[in-house]
Structure formats: C-alpha cells, structure tokens
Amino acid sequence: TWDDVALITGVVDALAGGYFPNEYFGKHPDKKQKFIKLLCKVEGKEYKETKEVMNRKIRISDVSLVAKEVLGINIKVEL
C-alpha cells in the first residue's frame, strides 16, 4: 500500500541521514510496529498482534530487505 511505501521511504531516508534503525524507531515508536508487520509480510511469516513487539531490534539488513521487496531498490550502508 502507499502507507507501506511511505513508511519504508521514511526509514531509508533516516538511514541516509545517519540514523540507525533502532534510533529512528526510538524516536518514532508508532512506526516500529507497522515496520515489523511489513517485515513479517515480506519474510512470509505470520504476524499476530498478541504480544508486545517493541523490544525487537530492527537491523539494517531488515530495512534493506523490506526496501528491496517494497520499493524495488537495493540500499548500501557504509559505516
């Protein structure tokens, strides 16, 4: 959906701006749960909202995978 595209472009833009995923989601906790749902959808995992997922760490590889599947782009992160 367009909401998914907006979410992942925001996360990719944050990475480009020097944020790590967990820093970004620390500032935007409402978007973390949406991203986890999207990540699960991309990985083909079933997601049920039966427990809190806020403690899950989001890795750069997770963002890269979702960006590739949703936006069709490959992102490269250099540290």
Side-chain angles (χ1 to χ4, degrees):
T1 66
W2 285 113
D3 287 340
D4 296 339
V5 172
L7 173 65
I8 192 59
T9 55
V11 176
V12 170
D13 287 347
L15 288 178
Y19 284 96
F20 285 98
N22 289 309
E23 291 174 316
Y24 175 78
F25 289 118
K27 292 183 179 187
H28 305 282
D30 57 314
K31 295 180 181 185
K32 185 174 184 176
Q33 189 170 14
K34 291 178 185 179
F35 181 82
I36 291 172
K37 284 181 182 181
L38 185 57
L39 175 63
C40 289
K41 190 185 304 183
V42 167
E43 291 181 333
K45 296 179 183 174
E46 186 175 341
Y47 178 82
K48 293 182 182 180
E49 293 184 59
T50 58
K51 61 182 178 178
E52 186 65 39
V53 294
M54 298 309 287
N55 290 332
R56 182 172 191 311
K57 301 287 185 198
I58 305 295
R59 301 172 304 221
I60 291 174
S61 61
D62 295 333
V63 175
S64 179
L65 173 66
V66 174
K68 182 177 179 182
E69 294 298 320
V70 173
L71 303 176
I73 62 170
N74 290 319
I75 60 171
K76 181 179 178 182
V77 177
E78 295 180 10
L79 299 175

